Amino acid sequence: AQKVTQAQTEISVVEKEDVTLDCVYETRDTTYYLFWYKQPPSGELVFLIRRNSFDEQNEISGRYSWNFQKSTSSFNFTITASQVVDSAVYFCALSELIQGAQKLVFGQGTRLTINP
Amino acid sequence: GAGVSQSPRYKVAKRGQDVALRCDPISGHVSLFWYQQALGQGPEFLTYFQNEAQLDKSGLPSDRFFAERPEGSVSTLKIQRTQQEDSAVYLCASSRGTGAYEQYFGPGTRLTVT
């Protein structure tokens, strides 16, 4: 069965520090997708990125970057020069094929607090 | 609409009452998912619709939970004879296709059973 582990329950840093959120996954599928979502205090999950298992290139989007390493089954997320607005709970998720679609299997989330 | 909407945002039910939670997906989105999120946990899959067809309901915790999407757009999740363990946030998500497209989530309905 698919499983996602986010070992860091809570992280607290001072604004402008860099911070990395860890994500380790387990799957027997050869083709799969990994996702990161942000859940601010309002509660709505906001999509950040999707990465398929065949593409191990790192991705950068502004202050956000993602490091996908198949050899260690990890898909880590780094925020550079963090800002207070980055405070939220971040979820890593893995796709699991079901009838006609891919449901998401989520980790337990990492609560990130950026202090001014 | 611009995004996924859910109503009500908050629902308090006495144990034993029936509740109905509504989801309006993004217009034209084929796939619709329901997830349950307990406090401090990640969302867990409940059920999936492709248009009006419910193709997977393996995550529904008991036969008190029932979901429908009769016209392939709006969906309703119904919980009969609510129990305290049903207290959670119920999230709806939609995606434009049937592959591993990104899912867009609504704000959720926070259900509290007293």
Side-chain angles (χ1 to χ4, degrees), chain A residues 37 39 50 100-102 104 108, chain B residues 35 37 41 48 98 100 103:
Chain A
Y37 280 84
Q39 189 172 44
R50 177 188 63 184
Q102 301 264 359
L104 296 178
Q108 290 203 309
Chain B
Y35 292 85
Q37 186 176 21
Q41 304 293 317
Y48 162 67
T98 58
Q103 295 178 23

Side-chain angles (χ1 to χ4, degrees), chain B residues 1-104:
Chain B
V4 178
S5 60
Q6 293 185 245
S7 61
R9 289 294 312 277
Y10 303 91
K11 177 70 180 177
V12 179
K14 285 187 169 31
R15 194 169 63 151
Q17 280 185 335
D18 297 349
V19 298
L21 313 181
R22 177 188 168 106
C23 171
D24 282 83
I26 293 172
S27 178
H29 276 196
V30 168
S31 296
L32 187 146
F33 301 80
W34 283 97
Y35 292 85
Q36 181 190 59
Q37 186 176 21
L39 192 63
Q41 304 293 317
E44 292 192 357
F45 171 80
L46 293 177
T47 187
Y48 162 67
F49 289 87
Q50 185 180 116
N51 296 307
E52 69 279 2
Q54 187 175 21
L55 298 186
D56 191 306
K57 52 182 180 179
S58 61
L60 295 177
S62 79
D63 58 9
R64 297 184 295 103
F65 286 70
F66 171 75
E68 60 183 7
R69 193 186 185 199
E71 295 175 1
S73 55
V74 171
S75 177
T76 304
L77 176 66
K78 298 179 180 177
I79 309 173
Q80 297 176 324
R81 304 181 303 282
T82 52
Q83 303 293 316
Q84 281 195 316
E85 61 262 27
D86 299 335
S87 295
V89 175
Y90 291 86
L91 295 165
C92 175
S94 69
S95 69
R96 59 187 168 98
T98 58
Y101 294 96
E102 54 268 33
Q103 295 178 23
Y104 294 92

Side-chain angles (χ1 to χ4, degrees), chain A residues 77-92:
Chain A
F77 172 31
T78 297
I79 302 175
T80 303
S82 59
Q83 299 176 2
V84 172
V85 293
D86 296 327
S87 297
V89 180
Y90 289 86
F91 290 97
C92 179

